[in-house]
Structure formats: structure tokens, C-alpha cells
């Protein structure tokens, strides 16, 4: 690069930082829950980029909370162990052997990978699951699904203590049952319940699609809850998008100010959404 072009680059960087000021001010002290789905988790390099964005958020005064999935990683381990697995309406039928693998992979492997990535970037992350400090007590969703849980009683007090200590919680979507069971919770459902319990300012659902699309396949950048309901009735919102939009509506119902569905594989997706006028993905509000 020529020296002159390099200068232009730095000037652009300085201008970008300056233009971010109103957004930095708007989000100071805000609680932002980020759902990182297994499909949105890429290479180690992409994970480091994500971790850097999370640490930056913390440094500018946001309280980020990461709730992760890991469906593809669970599938790979079940395959290695020769355990068959199937999904019904987006939820994994989870027997006693499967729930052990789910907990091992989510809490033991995926959770620690994210914690380590954030800490390597200079953050202070702590790995938890919904079992810790009674964060997420679950009921069985449906006997046909086995150990799949629906969040029933939430206690987010530990998360507030972690915020006060400059700590970033990273949460695996498992919950405790009232009779000592371990429940496997869909990652989107868990993120929605945690964002609801925190009355978060934002819930960012990072996935591998650009957002909610209309009948012409165009991404809708702003949506009202009623529009989501209409598009679902019309069959425009379908398949894997349904659990996400259902999560969004439930979270908004519980007091989350806005939910954004966005492509987590895009570089700096969270920063683009929070700190620029451009935004990213589809924002859903009441
Ligand atoms: C999910 C939990 C992980 C998850 C599962 O067993 O795959 C249920 O289906 P993604 O990567 O966010 O899809 N649980 C009940 O949700 O992962």
C-alpha cells in the first residue's frame, strides 16, 4: 500500500470511531444478549473476531451475555459414538444417553472454546449452563421428546453480579429439572428466556441467514410483531426461521426492547448492528 493510501485508511478509521459516538452513548450500560448458533460458529479465526467484538462491547460499557448452541457439534459427537438422533419440529429427541452427550459437548467443549477465545482477547469470561445458580429451571417440554426442557423458572441474579464484576457470562443451553433431571434446551429458546429474565435492551440471534425475508426473498430490515404473525400465517416465514421468530416474539413479550436476527458469519456482525446507522439483519420490535 502507498503511504498516501495508508493515511487515508487511518483517517477513515478515526472517522468511523468518531461517528460511533452516539451509538456508544446510547448503549452505555445496556444488556445485550447474543445467541451464537452452532452454524454461525466458524473457524478459530472467525471465533477470535467474534470474541474481539464482545470484548470491545464490554469495554465501551455494554453488558454482553453469550448464549450458545452447538447442534452440529452434538451431531458429530453422536455420530462418533454411534448414537442415532432425530429432530421433531426443530427439537432433538433426547434420551438418557443423548442428554449426556449434549451436556458433554455443550458445557465441556463448545462453552469452553468461546470462554477461552474471549479471555484470549483480554476479556473476563465465565462459562455456565442454565443449571448454575438456578439460572434456568425447566419443565419437560413433551414426553415424546424425552429430556427436552422448556424454561419455567428463571433466576438471573448471578448474571447481574457478574456484570458488576466486569465479567462476561457464556451460557450453555441446559437446564435443571425439578426432580434432578438434566434438560436439553433449544439454544434460541434458552437465549430468549435469558434475555426475557434480564429484560435485555437487545437480543441478537446470530445465525447463517441474512435475516427475515419477504415473499420476494428480500431481507426485511425492520418488522413489527404483528408483521411476523402475518408472514407466518402466509407461510412466508417457514422452516428453521420459525423457532427464531417465535423466540423473538416471546422475548419481546417479556420486555426485551428489540430482537435482531442476523448473519453471524458476516465480519463484525454485532458491531455493525450496534454501532452503525447501517444496522444488520432484521430488527423486530413490539
Ligand atoms: C439443541 C441444543 C443445541 C442448539 C440440540 O440438541 O441440538 C434441542 O434441540 P444450535 O446450534 O443453536 O442449533 N437442543 C432441544 O440449539 O444448537
Amino acid at each position: 500500500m502507498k503511504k498516501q493510501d495508508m493515511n487515508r485508511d487511518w483517517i477513515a478509521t478515526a472517522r468511523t470511531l468518531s461517528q460511533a459516538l452516539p451509538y456508544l452513548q446510547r448503549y452505555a450500560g445496556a444488556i445485550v444478549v447474543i445467541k451464537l448458533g452452532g452454524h454461525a460458529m466458524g473457524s478459530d479465526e472467525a471465533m477470535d473476531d467474534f470474541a474481539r467484538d464482545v470484548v470491545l462491547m464490554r469495554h465501551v460499557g455494554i453488558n454482553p451475555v453469550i448464549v450458545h448452541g452447538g447442534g452440529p457439534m452434538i451431531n458429530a459427537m453422536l455420530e462418533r459414538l454411534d448414537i442415532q438422533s432425530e429432530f421433531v419440529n426443530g427439537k432433538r429427541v433426547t434420551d438418557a444417553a443423548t442428554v449426556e452427550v449434549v451436556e458433554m459437548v455443550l458445557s465441556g467443549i463448545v462453552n469452553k472454546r468461546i470462554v477461552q477465545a474471549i479471555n484470549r482477547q483480554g476479556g473476563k469470561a465465565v462459562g455456565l449452563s442454565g443449571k448454575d445458580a438456578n439460572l434456568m429451571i425447566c419443565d419437560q417440554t413433551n414426553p415424546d421428546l424425552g429430556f427436552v426442557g422448556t424454561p419455567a423458572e428463571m433466576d438471573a441474579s448471578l448474571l447481574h453480579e457478574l456484570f458488576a464484576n466486569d465479567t462476561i457470562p457464556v451460557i450453555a443451553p441446559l437446564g435443571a429439572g425439578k426432580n434432578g433431571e438434566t434438560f436439553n434446551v433449544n439454544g434460541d429458546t434458552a437465549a430468549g428466556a435469558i434475555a426475557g429474565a434480564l429484560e435485555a435492551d437487545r437480543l441478537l440471534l446470530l445465525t447463517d441467514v441474512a435475516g427475515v425475508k419477504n415473499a420476494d426473498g428480500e431481507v426485511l430490515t425492520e418488522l413489527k410483531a404483528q408483521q411476523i404473525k402475518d408472514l407466518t400465517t402466509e407461510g412466508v416465514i417457514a422452516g428453521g426461521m420459525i423457532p427464531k421468530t417465535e423466540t423473538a416474539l416471546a422475548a419481546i413479550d417479556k420486555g426485551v426492547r428489540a430482537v435482531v436476527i442476523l448473519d453471524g458469519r458476516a465480519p463484525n456482525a454485532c458491531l455493525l448492528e450496534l454501532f452503525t446507522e447501517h444496522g444488520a439483519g432484521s430488527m423486530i420490535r413490539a
Side-chain angles (χ1 to χ4, degrees):
M1 209 186 270
K2 279 197 230 143
K3 190 149 189 252
Q4 209 182 353
D5 292 340
M6 229 156 80
N7 279 342
R8 223 171 272 147
D9 239 32
W10 290 118
I11 290 165
T13 305
R15 175 168 307 156
T16 306
L17 274 171
S18 170
Q19 284 170 345
L21 178 63
Y23 300 93
L24 296 174
Q25 288 168 326
R26 181 192 301 168
Y27 288 112
I31 296 174
V32 176
V33 176
I34 304 165
K35 156 74 196 313
L36 181 61
H39 289 283
M41 280 175 224
S43 61
D44 286 345
E45 207 189 351
M47 181 64 84
D48 287 346
D49 288 346
F50 170 78
R52 195 175 312 113
D53 288 0
V54 170
V55 173
L56 190 149
M57 279 183 221
R58 180 67 240 185
H59 272 279
V60 299
I62 290 176
N63 296 304
V65 178
I66 316 305
V67 181
H68 62 85
M73 297 77 182
I74 298 168
N75 290 343
M77 185 61 79
L78 287 170
E79 216 165 283
R80 268 166 74 179
L81 297 170
D82 221 2
I83 299 173
Q84 305 297 321
S85 189
E86 60 162 337
F87 283 83
V88 174
N89 294 329
K91 298 197 171 92
R92 187 188 306 275
V93 180
T94 306
D95 63 12
T98 303
V99 81
E100 281 191 5
V101 177
V102 169
E103 185 166 39
M104 175 172 89
V105 171
L106 293 181
S107 281
I109 303 173
V110 179
N111 186 278
K112 293 305 163 226
R113 184 181 172 213
I114 301 168
V115 166
Q116 196 170 4
I118 293 172
N119 292 340
R120 277 188 58 223
Q121 296 300 331
K124 188 166 73 170
V126 159
L128 308 165
S129 82
K131 287 183 172 181
D132 290 279
N134 293 323
L135 172 59
M136 189 164 69
I137 307 283
C138 293
D139 291 332
Q140 188 180 43
T141 302
N142 171 345
D144 294 345
L145 296 173
F147 294 99
V148 171
T150 300
E153 288 169 31
M154 307 295 295
D155 180 351
S157 55
L158 175 69
L159 303 184
H160 289 289
E161 287 169 33
L162 293 174
F163 297 155
N165 282 294
D166 217 17
T167 305
I168 301 166
V170 177
I171 306 168
L174 294 144
K178 286 166 190 149
N179 301 310
E181 311 94 318
T182 297
F183 281 122
N184 176 14
V185 182
N186 172 274
D188 294 329
T189 308
I194 291 164
L198 288 167
E199 294 185 14
D201 296 276
R202 285 282 181 283
L203 167 60
L204 308 182
L205 295 173
L206 300 189
T207 180
D208 57 354
V209 293
V212 181
K213 293 176 181 165
N214 64 15
D216 297 327
E218 296 156 345
V219 174
L220 299 162
T221 54
E222 300 218 11
L223 287 123
K224 293 271 177 206
Q226 188 55 46
Q227 237 177 317
I228 294 278
K229 291 176 192 159
D230 295 344
L231 287 170
T232 308
T233 315
E234 290 159 20
V236 176
I237 293 176
M241 188 53 75
I242 290 183
K244 296 191 193 303
T245 49
E246 277 179 354
T247 296
L249 295 182
I252 286 165
D253 228 35
K254 290 202 195 86
V256 175
R257 277 174 45 202
V259 181
V260 187
I261 298 175
L262 68 166
D263 191 344
R265 299 163 312 168
N268 308 110
C270 297
L271 299 190
L272 189 63
E273 168 52 36
L274 295 174
F275 298 137
T276 72
E277 198 178 331
H278 179 274
S282 303
M283 180 176 290
I284 303 160
R285 289 176 196 269

